[in-house]
mmCIF file of all heavy atoms in Angstrom:
data_model
loop_
_atom_site.group_PDB
_atom_site.id
_atom_site.type_symbol
_atom_site.label_atom_id
_atom_site.label_comp_id
_atom_site.label_asym_id
_atom_site.label_seq_id
_atom_site.Cartn_x
_atom_site.Cartn_y
_atom_site.Cartn_z
ATOM 1 N N THR A 210 -7.049 -10.001 8.064
ATOM 2 C CA THR A 210 -7.736 -10.017 6.777
ATOM 3 C C THR A 210 -8.517 -11.317 6.604
ATOM 4 O O THR A 210 -9.654 -11.324 6.119
ATOM 5 C CB THR A 210 -6.729 -9.853 5.631
ATOM 6 O OG1 THR A 210 -6.164 -8.540 5.691
ATOM 7 C CG2 THR A 210 -7.386 -10.041 4.282
ATOM 8 N N PHE A 211 -7.932 -12.423 7.001
ATOM 9 C CA PHE A 211 -8.604 -13.720 6.894
ATOM 10 C C PHE A 211 -9.909 -13.725 7.690
ATOM 11 O O PHE A 211 -10.950 -14.165 7.193
ATOM 12 C CB PHE A 211 -7.667 -14.823 7.380
ATOM 13 C CG PHE A 211 -8.295 -16.187 7.452
ATOM 14 C CD1 PHE A 211 -8.428 -16.960 6.315
ATOM 15 C CD2 PHE A 211 -8.756 -16.699 8.656
ATOM 16 C CE1 PHE A 211 -9.017 -18.220 6.365
ATOM 17 C CE2 PHE A 211 -9.338 -17.951 8.725
ATOM 18 C CZ PHE A 211 -9.468 -18.714 7.581
ATOM 19 N N THR A 212 -9.867 -13.250 8.928
ATOM 20 C CA THR A 212 -11.085 -13.253 9.738
ATOM 21 C C THR A 212 -12.153 -12.343 9.130
ATOM 22 O O THR A 212 -13.351 -12.675 9.148
ATOM 23 C CB THR A 212 -10.790 -12.806 11.181
ATOM 24 O OG1 THR A 212 -10.324 -11.452 11.188
ATOM 25 C CG2 THR A 212 -9.751 -13.688 11.828
ATOM 26 N N GLN A 213 -11.728 -11.201 8.565
ATOM 27 C CA GLN A 213 -12.700 -10.281 7.977
ATOM 28 C C GLN A 213 -13.428 -10.909 6.795
ATOM 29 O O GLN A 213 -14.641 -10.749 6.632
ATOM 30 C CB GLN A 213 -11.993 -8.993 7.550
ATOM 31 C CG GLN A 213 -12.928 -7.855 7.174
ATOM 32 C CD GLN A 213 -13.201 -7.794 5.674
ATOM 33 O OE1 GLN A 213 -12.623 -8.545 4.890
ATOM 34 N NE2 GLN A 213 -14.072 -6.886 5.273
ATOM 35 N N THR A 214 -12.696 -11.636 5.968
ATOM 36 C CA THR A 214 -13.323 -12.205 4.777
ATOM 37 C C THR A 214 -14.115 -13.475 5.086
ATOM 38 O O THR A 214 -15.067 -13.782 4.368
ATOM 39 C CB THR A 214 -12.270 -12.488 3.691
ATOM 40 O OG1 THR A 214 -11.214 -13.286 4.242
ATOM 41 C CG2 THR A 214 -11.700 -11.190 3.163
ATOM 42 N N VAL A 215 -13.741 -14.220 6.126
ATOM 43 C CA VAL A 215 -14.601 -15.323 6.571
ATOM 44 C C VAL A 215 -15.987 -14.771 6.886
ATOM 45 O O VAL A 215 -17.014 -15.339 6.485
ATOM 46 C CB VAL A 215 -14.005 -16.032 7.807
ATOM 47 C CG1 VAL A 215 -15.037 -16.961 8.446
ATOM 48 C CG2 VAL A 215 -12.770 -16.835 7.427
ATOM 49 N N ALA A 216 -16.018 -13.642 7.585
ATOM 50 C CA ALA A 216 -17.289 -13.042 7.978
ATOM 51 C C ALA A 216 -18.012 -12.415 6.794
ATOM 52 O O ALA A 216 -19.191 -12.690 6.538
ATOM 53 C CB ALA A 216 -17.051 -11.995 9.060
ATOM 54 N N SER A 217 -17.329 -11.567 6.037
ATOM 55 C CA SER A 217 -17.989 -10.759 5.008
ATOM 56 C C SER A 217 -18.274 -11.545 3.732
ATOM 57 O O SER A 217 -19.425 -11.655 3.302
ATOM 58 C CB SER A 217 -17.130 -9.534 4.689
ATOM 59 O OG SER A 217 -17.780 -8.683 3.767
ATOM 60 N N LEU A 218 -17.231 -12.083 3.100
ATOM 61 C CA LEU A 218 -17.431 -12.796 1.838
ATOM 62 C C LEU A 218 -18.166 -14.115 2.034
ATOM 63 O O LEU A 218 -18.959 -14.531 1.175
ATOM 64 C CB LEU A 218 -16.083 -13.040 1.157
ATOM 65 C CG LEU A 218 -15.289 -11.798 0.753
ATOM 66 C CD1 LEU A 218 -14.043 -12.202 -0.019
ATOM 67 C CD2 LEU A 218 -16.145 -10.850 -0.075
ATOM 68 N N GLY A 219 -17.900 -14.786 3.154
ATOM 69 C CA GLY A 219 -18.603 -16.039 3.410
ATOM 70 C C GLY A 219 -20.099 -15.833 3.522
ATOM 71 O O GLY A 219 -20.890 -16.590 2.951
ATOM 72 N N LEU A 220 -20.526 -14.787 4.234
ATOM 73 C CA LEU A 220 -21.951 -14.516 4.371
ATOM 74 C C LEU A 220 -22.561 -14.034 3.062
ATOM 75 O O LEU A 220 -23.703 -14.375 2.738
ATOM 76 C CB LEU A 220 -22.179 -13.480 5.474
ATOM 77 C CG LEU A 220 -23.640 -13.138 5.762
ATOM 78 C CD1 LEU A 220 -24.406 -14.374 6.241
ATOM 79 C CD2 LEU A 220 -23.736 -12.018 6.793
ATOM 80 N N TYR A 221 -21.817 -13.235 2.299
ATOM 81 C CA TYR A 221 -22.347 -12.697 1.047
ATOM 82 C C TYR A 221 -22.779 -13.812 0.097
ATOM 83 O O TYR A 221 -23.743 -13.651 -0.657
ATOM 84 C CB TYR A 221 -21.294 -11.812 0.381
ATOM 85 C CG TYR A 221 -21.758 -11.204 -0.933
ATOM 86 C CD1 TYR A 221 -22.459 -10.012 -0.952
ATOM 87 C CD2 TYR A 221 -21.492 -11.833 -2.145
ATOM 88 C CE1 TYR A 221 -22.892 -9.457 -2.149
ATOM 89 C CE2 TYR A 221 -21.922 -11.293 -3.345
ATOM 90 C CZ TYR A 221 -22.614 -10.102 -3.343
ATOM 91 O OH TYR A 221 -23.045 -9.567 -4.527
ATOM 92 N N THR A 222 -22.081 -14.925 0.112
ATOM 93 C CA THR A 222 -22.430 -16.041 -0.771
ATOM 94 C C THR A 222 -23.892 -16.451 -0.606
ATOM 95 O O THR A 222 -24.550 -16.822 -1.583
ATOM 96 C CB THR A 222 -21.516 -17.243 -0.480
ATOM 97 O OG1 THR A 222 -20.151 -16.845 -0.660
ATOM 98 C CG2 THR A 222 -21.829 -18.411 -1.401
ATOM 99 N N TYR A 223 -24.408 -16.355 0.604
ATOM 100 C CA TYR A 223 -25.767 -16.810 0.891
ATOM 101 C C TYR A 223 -26.691 -15.635 1.220
ATOM 102 O O TYR A 223 -27.668 -15.787 1.958
ATOM 103 C CB TYR A 223 -25.733 -17.820 2.048
ATOM 104 C CG TYR A 223 -24.825 -18.978 1.748
ATOM 105 C CD1 TYR A 223 -23.539 -19.042 2.273
ATOM 106 C CD2 TYR A 223 -25.230 -19.984 0.880
ATOM 107 C CE1 TYR A 223 -22.693 -20.090 1.964
ATOM 108 C CE2 TYR A 223 -24.388 -21.040 0.562
ATOM 109 C CZ TYR A 223 -23.118 -21.080 1.111
ATOM 110 O OH TYR A 223 -22.283 -22.119 0.785
ATOM 111 N N LEU A 224 -26.383 -14.468 0.643
ATOM 112 C CA LEU A 224 -27.168 -13.283 0.958
ATOM 113 C C LEU A 224 -28.625 -13.428 0.511
ATOM 114 O O LEU A 224 -29.538 -12.955 1.196
ATOM 115 C CB LEU A 224 -26.532 -12.050 0.295
ATOM 116 C CG LEU A 224 -27.197 -10.712 0.586
ATOM 117 C CD1 LEU A 224 -27.283 -10.465 2.084
ATOM 118 C CD2 LEU A 224 -26.445 -9.581 -0.097
#
Side-chain angles (χ1 to χ4, degrees):
T210 293
F211 174 81
T212 63
Q213 191 266 355
T214 53
V215 167
S217 184
L218 298 185
L220 182 62
Y221 180 86
T222 302
Y223 304 100
L224 183 55

